[in-house]
Amino acid sequence: MSVIYRTTMVPTKLQLLAAWMPGRTWYRGGQDPDLRKAGGFRLDDPDGEVGIEFMVLTDHSGEQPQTYHVPLTYRGSPLPGAEEGLVGTSEHGVLGTRWVYDATRDPVAVSRIVALLTGNALPQAQAKATPPTCRWRCRSRRRFLSHTDSDFRTTDRPTPTSR
């Protein structure tokens, strides 16, 4: 499980994203994004080198609020060949300079997304922005994942019988 530090990032993730998002073709908000975190989750890098975060953000800058799912990675050094995926850099209070990337351009994140979708990785909870309890079925393992604010657990469920 990845280590989540309770520290500062300068600029913050939301500040980096507010500067980066208006240049994306999919962005539908105003010129000065008013981003608020609505939820998200993390995936672990088995090598422990890359932070992988999936943020759900709501932008209140346009006529109507727009919600976005923004996957990010955090690295301790630049990712060669991924300059176009760079969101920006930030100074982490514990880890130093972090290079923040659009996770769709990061091979570690892409491999972990595939692992998640094939039932070979579990999402990790984030702090208070996620709902207190939610459940969904992991079909490939016939299990349910139960999420609380502090963890994810799997519980065996009986297989539904046909009528």
Side-chain angles (χ1 to χ4, degrees):
M1 180 174 289
S2 59
V3 175
I4 308 296
Y5 295 97
R6 300 241 181 247
T7 188
T8 58
M9 284 186 72
V10 179
T12 68
K13 297 171 196 177
L14 292 180
Q15 289 169 334
L16 282 174
L17 289 168
W20 176 76
M21 285 175 57
R24 308 303 99 193
T25 57
W26 43 261
Y27 180 70
R28 299 289 179 253
Q31 285 295 94
D32 295 313
D34 177 11
L35 302 176
R36 299 176 199 171
K37 191 167 180 183
F41 64 95
R42 300 180 74 87
L43 291 176
D44 282 334
D45 169 12
D47 295 330
E49 295 296 319
V50 179
I52 307 167
E53 180 176 13
F54 297 81
M55 296 179 75
V56 178
L57 304 169
T58 301
D59 179 16
H60 296 269
S61 66
E63 290 181 28
Q64 296 180 27
Q66 297 285 325
T67 300
Y68 301 93
H69 174 225
V70 183
L72 299 172
T73 57
Y74 308 96
R75 292 176 160 268
S77 61
L79 177 60
E83 294 78 15
E84 68 183 46
L86 182 66
V87 174
T89 59
S90 183
E91 290 302 315
H92 188 279
V94 175
L95 301 174
T97 304
R98 306 310 286 170
W99 280 258
V100 181
Y101 288 92
D102 171 353
T104 65
R105 307 296 178 104
D106 191 314
V108 172
V110 171
S111 71
R112 301 312 298 156
I113 292 167
V114 169
L116 175 68
L117 295 174
T118 59
N120 295 307
L122 288 176
Q124 304 298 313
Q126 289 186 326
K128 301 169 181 139
T130 55
T133 302
C134 59
R135 297 169 72 81
W136 65 92
R137 184 163 188 238
C138 178
R139 290 186 189 137
S140 65
R141 296 194 179 165
R142 295 191 185 273
R143 293 180 169 196
F144 279 79
L145 300 177
S146 289
H147 161 48
T148 65
D149 278 343
S150 61
D151 68 342
F152 281 87
R153 293 183 294 273
T154 61
T155 54
D156 288 320
R157 288 289 225 219
T159 304
T161 57
S162 54
R163 296 179 186 197

